[in-house]
Amino acid sequence: MAVQKNTSAIKSQPKHLLGIQNLSIQEAKKILEEAKSFINLNRSASKKLDILRGKTQINLFFEPSTRTQSSFDLAGKRLGADVMTMNVSNSALKKGETLIDTAMTLNAMHPDIIVIRHQDSGAPNLLSQKVNCTVINAGDGRREHPTQALLDALTIINRKGKIEGLKIAICGDILHSRVARSNIYLMNMLGAEVNVIAPKTLMPRSIERLGVKSFTDMKKGLDGSDIVMMLRLQNERMQGSFLPSKREYYEFYGLTPEKLKFANKDALIMHPGPMNRGVEIDTKLADDINVSLVKEQVELGVAVRMACLKLYCK
Amino acid sequence: MKEKILINARIIDPSQKMDEKGSVIIDANGKIKIIGKDVKKSDASSSAEVFDLKNNILIPGIVDMKAFVGEPGYEYKENFRTLGQAALSGGVTSIVTMPNTKPIIDNVSMVDFIIRRGRDKASVNLYPCATLTRELEGKQMTEFGLLSAKGIIGFTDVIRTVQNTQTMARIMDYASDIGVLIMQHVEDYELSKNGCINDGEVSTRLGLEGISYIAEKIIIQRDLSLLNEFPCRYHINQISSKESLDVIKRNKENGTNFTVGVSINNLSLNENDIGDFKTFLKLSPPLRSEDDRLALVQGIKSGLIDVIVSDHTPEDEEGKRLPFAQAATGAIGIETLLPLALEMYHNESLPLKKIIETLTINPAKILKINKGSLIKGSDADICVFDLDTPWVVKGDVLKSKSKNTAVEERKLQGKILMTFLNGDLVFKST
């Protein structure tokens, strides 16, 4: 597939991708459109382009990540950028200092793109005020994970042909989930109807104001849905008791073939990973290639990130 | 000192139910000699200095019940000199200072130091508080009796709350006997843990942990229950939500005796103003919804809330240039206290008299100090302001050492023209 070399960055775009909330529908569609062109490229034998030749991309990860980090890493390399990944291990106390100090240091090295993941909501916004290169959010606290939502959208479009009119159920630890928030914004924007399902203690306050219906009963929440997005229980973000036990959680909120029956017959399952098998999802279901899109999500993640890097890097 | 006569003033002094055009004569000792519409120029001595106030408003100097100085230990944020200048340019002549300094003011030896230091460096009346508990730990009460004798005006753990109910009960029981003022910050830590803004749509969108109004309400309910058993002088530093007001209303109606404060920030801003992670608006208690804000304004109108405080909390830029969850809490506000409060007059939410009352005589009564009033014989602490002059807040030109104002670029109406302290003109707008 021929790829235009000369596509300029999105002109009207602020040069940072900080969240879906700041994105217009045209911008979102443009990214998805661009990403489609990379899907086949990534499947071909020769994957390397030179769109970002001479550009420097720094992946700044304050939180451990495997798939997002490697995905951004590959995406940058396939576009010809020089990619450097920094895993910033930090003590709780020095987090903030490290962010600004590191940002200033890195900025002095003239990177073109910084991809940041940080445990604090809003950290990429702060970073974007301090550096003069493009900042791409690879997940901040519980706020946003825009490229995850975009890759989820691309995966759905790839399978279902569209998003508009679909019913999407997002189930699990909504409270701590940036993936849920970004997906709510994006799927709503693209015309889907979104249900969120969680036990009350893991449901954020005023979530309906984000344009979703909320359910505590999984069966009701799944009713008629075309896509079931399962989320990981983020035990590392939980302080104190949110749930009686994993066993009870699985009983009421774990996705099993029985519960999936409440969704549409041709419903597909997604999960941003990593999965807690037997906690939020039945292990066989997770691996069932007829219903599970998990592997495809990972695959298309690279294409979406290539699109973002290309469009946002001036 | 020469006698002074301030003529052509609109005098508003709620302590004597006065709102009239008139004059004030300050005697040679810096006391109010005579005040009101009947004062004639001939009542002053012929050598008296004359100030024509040109129909601007004259009120008692403002009494701010909650400000942080920074001395000792945080001089880089604010010191007595800068706080004094900031206060006077805001018409504030009496300040209750907070004890969460470094070292903490929780023992008698510290009190001498700050009183001396304050007297030397700040040309403003200072009323230091000591902590309610040693080291702000919420465990061991401080020496209320000894500290009061040294000149401590009240006891507060500032932004910390005594969590242990038994400890609080004993504090109130002990305090009720010796008549000291307890000023409580109301927050249940377990409920507010890790929270940094109001729990609601904004916290959900920003991905920040929220602080529910329940964290405030539950401590108020607890303390007021205890207060019925141990009636002491009890003041709630700051409330932030409508729900708290409901509890306060019920208890005041039942005859429980206590007083309530609110920060000017919670009256002027709401959670939406936080926008894209503006850390200058990270406050404790947090900014809440517009409904809460409106309820608080009503709370002042109905008298459920007694005082407005600046909650002046200077923080340097480094402390604020952090991801929101890690950023320092608080905003400066002593200079903008009155002009911001006047907004509620200009937008017709509150009568002027009510606003002045909450800034002058009400706090003075709670503190049992002879301030906040211009009744004959009282200290001539006076603020003169123009009700209408428009201006725009710029942190850079504020006198406070730290520039973390929560109302940067806000368009305000009303400007302080002159401040007198004990009869001396200590601030004049240029």
Side-chain angles (χ1 to χ4, degrees), chain B residues 63-86:
Chain B
V63 181
D64 185 358
M65 269 185 78
K66 191 163 184 259
F68 180 74
V69 199
E71 279 197 67
Y74 300 99
E75 290 83 357
Y76 60 96
K77 295 180 183 177
E78 193 86 277
N79 59 38
F80 279 114
R81 187 179 55 81
T82 53
L83 179 74
Q85 288 171 347

Short mmCIF file of all heavy atoms in Angstrom, two decimals, chain B residues 63-86:
data_model
loop_
_atom_site.label_atom_id
_atom_site.label_comp_id
_atom_site.label_asym_id
_atom_site.label_seq_id
_atom_site.Cartn_x
_atom_site.Cartn_y
_atom_site.Cartn_z
N VAL B 63 -10.53 42.32 60.25
CA VAL B 63 -9.93 41.31 61.12
C VAL B 63 -9.96 39.99 60.36
O VAL B 63 -11.03 39.45 60.08
CB VAL B 63 -10.74 41.18 62.43
CG1 VAL B 63 -10.08 40.14 63.34
CG2 VAL B 63 -10.85 42.52 63.13
N ASP B 64 -8.78 39.49 59.99
CA ASP B 64 -8.70 38.25 59.23
C ASP B 64 -8.35 37.11 60.19
O ASP B 64 -7.28 37.10 60.78
CB ASP B 64 -7.64 38.38 58.13
CG ASP B 64 -7.60 37.15 57.23
OD1 ASP B 64 -8.36 36.19 57.48
OD2 ASP B 64 -6.79 37.16 56.28
N MET B 65 -9.28 36.18 60.31
CA MET B 65 -9.10 35.12 61.32
C MET B 65 -8.22 33.97 60.87
O MET B 65 -8.01 33.03 61.63
CB MET B 65 -10.46 34.55 61.74
CG MET B 65 -11.07 35.27 62.93
SD MET B 65 -12.59 34.48 63.46
CE MET B 65 -12.00 33.06 64.38
N LYS B 66 -7.72 34.01 59.63
CA LYS B 66 -6.90 32.87 59.24
C LYS B 66 -5.88 33.24 58.17
O LYS B 66 -6.21 33.41 57.00
CB LYS B 66 -7.77 31.72 58.74
CG LYS B 66 -6.99 30.43 58.58
CD LYS B 66 -7.91 29.22 58.49
CE LYS B 66 -7.10 27.93 58.44
NZ LYS B 66 -6.99 27.39 57.08
N ALA B 67 -4.64 33.40 58.58
CA ALA B 67 -3.57 33.68 57.63
C ALA B 67 -2.29 32.99 58.10
O ALA B 67 -2.06 32.81 59.30
CB ALA B 67 -3.34 35.18 57.51
N PHE B 68 -1.50 32.61 57.14
CA PHE B 68 -0.24 31.92 57.44
C PHE B 68 0.92 32.89 57.20
O PHE B 68 0.98 33.54 56.17
CB PHE B 68 -0.10 30.69 56.54
CG PHE B 68 1.15 29.91 56.78
CD1 PHE B 68 1.28 29.12 57.92
CD2 PHE B 68 2.20 29.94 55.88
CE1 PHE B 68 2.44 28.40 58.15
CE2 PHE B 68 3.36 29.22 56.11
CZ PHE B 68 3.47 28.45 57.25
N VAL B 69 1.83 32.99 58.18
CA VAL B 69 2.94 33.94 58.03
C VAL B 69 4.17 33.35 57.38
O VAL B 69 4.80 33.99 56.56
CB VAL B 69 3.44 34.46 59.40
CG1 VAL B 69 4.21 35.73 59.20
CG2 VAL B 69 2.35 34.62 60.38
N GLY B 70 4.54 32.17 57.74
CA GLY B 70 5.78 31.63 57.19
C GLY B 70 6.96 31.74 58.14
O GLY B 70 7.96 31.07 58.00
N GLU B 71 6.84 32.61 59.12
CA GLU B 71 7.90 32.71 60.13
C GLU B 71 7.45 32.02 61.39
O GLU B 71 6.32 32.26 61.84
CB GLU B 71 8.20 34.18 60.44
CG GLU B 71 9.12 34.83 59.43
CD GLU B 71 9.73 36.12 59.95
OE1 GLU B 71 10.53 36.04 60.91
OE2 GLU B 71 9.40 37.18 59.42
N PRO B 72 8.28 31.21 61.97
CA PRO B 72 9.60 30.81 61.48
C PRO B 72 9.53 29.60 60.53
O PRO B 72 8.56 28.88 60.54
CB PRO B 72 10.32 30.41 62.78
CG PRO B 72 9.22 29.89 63.65
CD PRO B 72 7.99 30.68 63.29
N GLY B 73 10.60 29.44 59.77
CA GLY B 73 10.77 28.20 59.01
C GLY B 73 10.42 28.28 57.55
O GLY B 73 10.97 27.55 56.74
N TYR B 74 9.48 29.13 57.19
CA TYR B 74 9.09 29.21 55.78
C TYR B 74 9.18 30.65 55.28
O TYR B 74 8.33 31.13 54.55
CB TYR B 74 7.66 28.70 55.59
CG TYR B 74 7.46 27.26 56.03
CD1 TYR B 74 6.90 26.96 57.27
CD2 TYR B 74 7.84 26.21 55.19
CE1 TYR B 74 6.72 25.65 57.67
CE2 TYR B 74 7.66 24.89 55.59
CZ TYR B 74 7.11 24.62 56.83
OH TYR B 74 6.93 23.31 57.22
N GLU B 75 10.26 31.31 55.68
CA GLU B 75 10.43 32.72 55.32
C GLU B 75 10.43 32.92 53.82
O GLU B 75 10.14 34.01 53.34
CB GLU B 75 11.71 33.29 55.92
CG GLU B 75 11.69 33.46 57.43
CD GLU B 75 12.01 32.17 58.20
OE1 GLU B 75 12.21 31.12 57.56
OE2 GLU B 75 12.06 32.24 59.44
N TYR B 76 10.79 31.87 53.07
CA TYR B 76 10.80 32.02 51.61
C TYR B 76 9.39 32.13 51.04
O TYR B 76 9.20 32.57 49.92
CB TYR B 76 11.57 30.87 50.94
CG TYR B 76 10.99 29.51 51.22
CD1 TYR B 76 10.13 28.91 50.32
CD2 TYR B 76 11.31 28.83 52.38
CE1 TYR B 76 9.59 27.65 50.58
CE2 TYR B 76 10.78 27.58 52.66
CZ TYR B 76 9.92 27.00 51.75
OH TYR B 76 9.36 25.77 52.02
N LYS B 77 8.40 31.73 51.83
CA LYS B 77 7.02 31.86 51.36
C LYS B 77 6.42 33.21 51.76
O LYS B 77 5.70 33.84 50.99
CB LYS B 77 6.16 30.74 51.94
CG LYS B 77 6.53 29.35 51.49
CD LYS B 77 5.60 28.32 52.14
CE LYS B 77 6.01 26.90 51.77
NZ LYS B 77 5.16 25.91 52.46
N GLU B 78 6.68 33.60 53.00
CA GLU B 78 6.13 34.86 53.51
C GLU B 78 6.82 35.16 54.83
O GLU B 78 7.17 34.25 55.57
CB GLU B 78 4.63 34.69 53.78
CG GLU B 78 3.88 35.99 54.02
CD GLU B 78 3.40 36.67 52.75
OE1 GLU B 78 4.21 37.39 52.12
OE2 GLU B 78 2.24 36.47 52.37
N ASN B 79 7.04 36.45 55.11
CA ASN B 79 7.54 36.79 56.43
C ASN B 79 6.64 37.85 57.05
O ASN B 79 5.68 38.32 56.42
CB ASN B 79 9.00 37.22 56.37
CG ASN B 79 9.21 38.43 55.46
OD1 ASN B 79 8.38 39.34 55.42
ND2 ASN B 79 10.30 38.43 54.71
N PHE B 80 6.93 38.23 58.26
CA PHE B 80 6.07 39.19 58.95
C PHE B 80 5.98 40.52 58.19
O PHE B 80 4.93 41.13 58.12
CB PHE B 80 6.58 39.44 60.37
CG PHE B 80 6.16 38.37 61.35
CD1 PHE B 80 7.10 37.53 61.94
CD2 PHE B 80 4.82 38.19 61.66
CE1 PHE B 80 6.71 36.54 62.83
CE2 PHE B 80 4.42 37.22 62.56
CZ PHE B 80 5.37 36.38 63.15
N ARG B 81 7.11 40.94 57.64
CA ARG B 81 7.13 42.21 56.94
C ARG B 81 6.23 42.17 55.70
O ARG B 81 5.35 43.01 55.51
CB ARG B 81 8.56 42.58 56.54
CG ARG B 81 8.73 43.97 55.95
CD ARG B 81 10.20 44.24 55.59
NE ARG B 81 10.74 43.21 54.69
CZ ARG B 81 10.55 43.19 53.38
NH1 ARG B 81 9.87 44.14 52.79
NH2 ARG B 81 11.06 42.22 52.64
N THR B 82 6.41 41.12 54.87
CA THR B 82 5.61 41.05 53.64
C THR B 82 4.14 40.81 53.94
O THR B 82 3.26 41.36 53.28
CB THR B 82 6.15 39.96 52.69
OG1 THR B 82 6.24 38.72 53.39
CG2 THR B 82 7.50 40.34 52.12
N LEU B 83 3.90 39.98 54.95
CA LEU B 83 2.49 39.74 55.30
C LEU B 83 1.84 41.04 55.77
O LEU B 83 0.71 41.35 55.39
CB LEU B 83 2.36 38.68 56.40
CG LEU B 83 0.91 38.41 56.82
CD1 LEU B 83 0.16 37.61 55.76
CD2 LEU B 83 0.82 37.69 58.16
N GLY B 84 2.58 41.80 56.58
CA GLY B 84 2.05 43.06 57.08
C GLY B 84 1.72 44.02 55.94
O GLY B 84 0.65 44.62 55.90
N GLN B 85 2.63 44.12 54.99
CA GLN B 85 2.39 45.01 53.85
C GLN B 85 1.20 44.56 53.02
O GLN B 85 0.37 45.37 52.60
CB GLN B 85 3.64 45.06 52.96
CG GLN B 85 4.78 45.84 53.61
CD GLN B 85 6.07 45.71 52.83
OE1 GLN B 85 6.19 44.86 51.94
NE2 GLN B 85 7.05 46.55 53.15
N ALA B 86 1.15 43.24 52.80
CA ALA B 86 0.04 42.71 52.02
C ALA B 86 -1.28 42.99 52.73
O ALA B 86 -2.26 43.41 52.11
CB ALA B 86 0.22 41.21 51.80
#
